Amino acid sequence: MIFSSRTLLFLSLTGSAYGAPQMKYAGNSGPIAGVTHSTPSVQAPVGSLRGDSALLGGNAKIPDVTKESADVKHPELVNGQDADADLGLYLNLNSVDKPEPYRGDRGASADGPRTFEYEKLNPDLFAPPGTDAGSVPNAMWPLGLSHNRMGTGEKSGWARQQNTDVLPSASAMAGVDMKLGPHAYRELHWHTAAEWALVLKGCVRIAAINDESQTFTDDLCAGDVWFFPAGVPHSIQAFENGVEFLLVFDQGDFDENGTFLVSEMFARTPKSVLAKNFDAPVEAFKDLPEKELYIFNGTPQPKDIQKQNVTGPAGAIPVAHAYTYHWSQQKPYEVPGGSVKILDPTTFPIAAKFSVALVTVKPGAMREMHWHTSSDEWDYFLQGSGRATIYRAPDAGRTFDFTAGDVGYIPKADAHYVENTGTGDLVFLEVLQAHKFSDISVAQWLALTPKQTIKDHLNLPDSLLDAIPKQKTILKQGNRNMTALGQ
């Protein structure tokens, strides 16, 4: 396509060859930081890049301070925003076009540089509960802000990750969200970290060999889990409808781009050595890949898994040490407020230090206040929206908001809850580096402590203390109207 000089000038001013509009988003408009938008476009450079000494304080004209205002007249508040800040009601900032950072009698209007969607997604950061205090490390990272690395094959897939580069507090675990297109592979590889995986959508065939020369092959679909110990080489191939899965690693600084790859191992080994190792002529290696395969399209695998179930003299990995668990077939434990499924080494022995809960929280309900004694907690939000306040010793607390695709991270011993803030179910994964999934329930702790001791500490009434169940409830029911207490 060839453009005339006049057309090129027009394109340089509009930024488009086809008149396509620029991205629009809700944010502040009008004059800001002394910049107005009334200056017409010019056809050639005009003016100077710098001012002169006449603008220095003491030389410059004193401005009329009554002409400028940072105040927003008649701000629109949402339900619960004028309630006592210490109630900490959930604020649905999506119910207004332009949210404002007020909590009760705290805060002030905002008219500076803003993108409203960020504030609507994170109302408890924008207008925090009055009970938030002190400094708590950031505990949330949306994978939607992670770089998405595309596969090397045509429409073969992608992968995006969270590690300490983007969430520094997540020192013990990292996560990867990966998609493989129809029949695509994640190329043969291994890691220095252990890999725990949950299939999110679609179906996949995995295969591996351990250091005892035993092999393992299995087919998995949405809701099923695999685990590969550190150093165990494995293959992952999607079936005809593709697959998406979540990977969790036991290293906070894990980097998906630092994986050991079969293609690179062969490329970095002299061909004379390859020939000697495989007792083959050098010519046998003339068609090796020129670069890493990463995620690439493959030959459709046979539906009959036995045709790919390769074993040697050592045989297959015993069932007791199977690398997969068909978690989708486990019925959840149901309680008022939702349901929970737990998978830990009690039933999945090979995953020696991965203890995981799949939690569904009904609208208005919450994962009860608790903490973990032996592990940090890595969370992945699969559906819905929620929030959590993290209490950090001795006197700090901060509330974070989460939506689908977000990672949460809570250090060991930090007390917290997870509350459903949406109108549908909240579904999230709670991952521990522990030999058994366990926690300390705040409610149960109080119920199993002498009542007078609790009264002496917290001045709570008998009616409250007598009603606390001695059995751990895991989830707590609540009013679906998140601002009911403030009305």
Side-chain angles (χ1 to χ4, degrees):
M1 182 179 293
I2 300 176
F3 298 108
S4 68
S5 59
R6 179 175 295 180
T7 302
L8 288 172
L9 175 61
F10 170 77
L11 296 179
S12 69
L13 297 174
T14 62
S16 172
Y18 302 100
Q22 292 182 331
M23 183 185 76
K24 293 183 178 180
Y25 59 91
N28 62 294
S29 59
I32 186 73
V35 177
T36 64
H37 301 283
S38 60
T39 304
S41 299
V42 297
Q43 307 302 316
V46 175
S48 174
L49 289 173
R50 294 175 177 84
D52 57 32
S53 61
L55 302 181
L56 289 170
N59 292 339
K61 178 183 177 181
I62 300 297
D64 182 352
V65 296
T66 64
K67 288 186 175 181
E68 291 287 336
S69 175
D71 194 31
V72 175
K73 303 300 182 183
H74 311 297
E76 186 178 4
L77 304 184
V78 304
N79 288 339
Q81 205 160 2
D82 56 357
D84 185 342
D86 286 353
L87 276 176
L89 302 178
Y90 179 72
L91 304 179
N92 179 17
L93 298 185
N94 281 294
S95 61
V96 294
D97 292 332
K98 182 182 177 182
E100 297 291 348
Y102 286 100
R103 277 277 186 179
D105 59 0
R106 303 181 188 183
S109 62
D111 202 30
R114 302 170 59 189
T115 300
F116 299 152
E117 293 306 316
Y118 290 140
E119 297 158 1
K120 292 178 179 182
L121 282 171
N122 300 281
D124 290 292
L125 291 179
F126 187 57
T131 47
D132 278 14
S135 180
V136 175
N138 180 43
M140 188 275 287
W141 176 259
L143 280 181
L145 292 182
S146 290
H147 171 74
N148 210 1
R149 182 184 176 189
M150 304 300 179
T152 58
E154 181 179 355
K155 297 180 179 179
S156 57
W158 47 260
R160 53 187 181 175
Q161 66 180 0
Q162 164 275 316
N163 56 22
T164 50
D165 286 349
V166 295
L167 188 57
S169 64
S171 58
M173 285 172 274
V176 175
D177 177 20
M178 184 174 290
K179 173 67 181 289
L180 303 181
H183 302 297
Y185 285 104
R186 173 62 172 105
E187 92 163 88
L188 286 162
H189 66 281
W190 69 100
H191 313 281
T192 60
E195 171 184 311
W196 188 98
L198 173 68
V199 182
L200 302 173
K201 294 278 188 177
C203 297
V204 66
R205 177 167 293 167
I206 61 98
I209 179 173
N210 66 13
D211 54 6
E212 299 291 338
S213 305
Q214 298 168 317
T215 58
F216 186 87
T217 307
D218 200 5
D219 293 341
L220 303 171
C221 289
D224 294 334
V225 169
W226 76 71
F227 177 82
F228 296 125
V232 167
H234 50 279
S235 68
I236 306 169
Q237 185 181 18
F239 280 95
E240 63 265 29
N241 295 316
V243 67
E244 184 174 350
F245 46 87
L246 174 73
L247 303 169
V248 186
F249 297 91
D250 61 357
Q251 294 174 353
D253 60 354
F254 174 85
D255 187 349
E256 166 66 15
N257 301 312
T259 297
F260 293 96
L261 304 171
V262 68
S263 59
E264 288 293 335
M265 177 180 65
F266 272 65
R268 306 304 153 211
T269 304
K271 287 187 171 60
S272 61
V273 174
L274 293 174
K276 182 180 294 185
N277 191 77
F278 292 99
D279 194 19
V282 170
E283 291 74 20
F285 303 97
K286 62 182 178 64
D287 293 324
L288 288 176
E290 295 181 357
K291 58 182 180 180
E292 71 174 79
L293 299 172
Y294 182 47
I295 294 173
F296 69 104
N297 297 313
T299 303
Q301 66 272 67
K303 289 294 177 62
D304 183 359
I305 194 172
Q306 296 303 322
K307 293 182 178 179
Q308 289 194 325
N309 193 6
V310 182
T311 58
I317 291 175
V319 171
H321 302 292
Y323 286 157
T324 58
Y325 192 89
H326 291 259
W327 207 16
S328 63
Q329 300 176 32
Q330 178 183 326
K331 299 293 184 184
Y333 174 69
E334 297 184 77
V335 298
S339 65
V340 182
K341 293 201 302 186
I342 288 177
L343 181 61
D344 61 18
T346 305
T347 49
F348 192 28
I350 192 66
K353 288 201 68 178
F354 276 83
S355 294
V356 185
L358 181 60
V359 184
T360 299
V361 186
K362 294 295 182 183
M366 59 182 273
R367 170 79 165 92
E368 70 171 336
M369 294 171 64
H370 67 282
W371 70 84
H372 302 284
T373 62
S374 59
S375 172
D376 293 355
E377 175 181 321
W378 187 93
D379 298 317
Y380 189 65
F381 289 82
L382 300 168
Q383 194 171 73
S385 61
R387 68 172 181 170
T389 299
I390 300 173
Y391 161 62
R392 172 167 251 206
D395 56 2
R398 185 163 298 176
T399 305
F400 298 89
D401 300 281
F402 301 92
T403 54
D406 288 351
V407 172
Y409 196 83
I410 303 169
K412 178 174 62 176
D414 283 7
H416 58 282
Y417 64 87
V418 180
E419 181 181 32
N420 185 339
T421 58
T423 57
D425 288 355
L426 170 65
V427 183
F428 70 97
L429 205 63
E430 194 173 327
V431 184
L432 309 179
Q433 288 292 294
H435 296 292
K436 183 179 181 181
F437 192 93
S438 63
D439 62 28
I440 297 290
S441 159
V442 174
Q444 188 183 45
W445 174 38
L446 267 59
L448 298 179
T449 299
K451 185 165 68 172
Q452 189 59 52
T453 301
I454 301 301
K455 292 177 67 174
D456 289 346
H457 279 77
L458 298 175
N459 299 318
L460 296 174
D462 287 340
S463 57
L464 183 153
L465 296 175
D466 292 340
I468 301 175
K470 291 182 170 59
Q471 182 178 359
K472 190 180 297 183
T473 56
I474 305 177
L475 301 176
K476 299 287 186 181
Q477 290 180 293
N479 195 327
R480 292 181 179 225
N481 182 352
M482 303 293 288
T483 60
L485 287 176
Q487 296 174 357

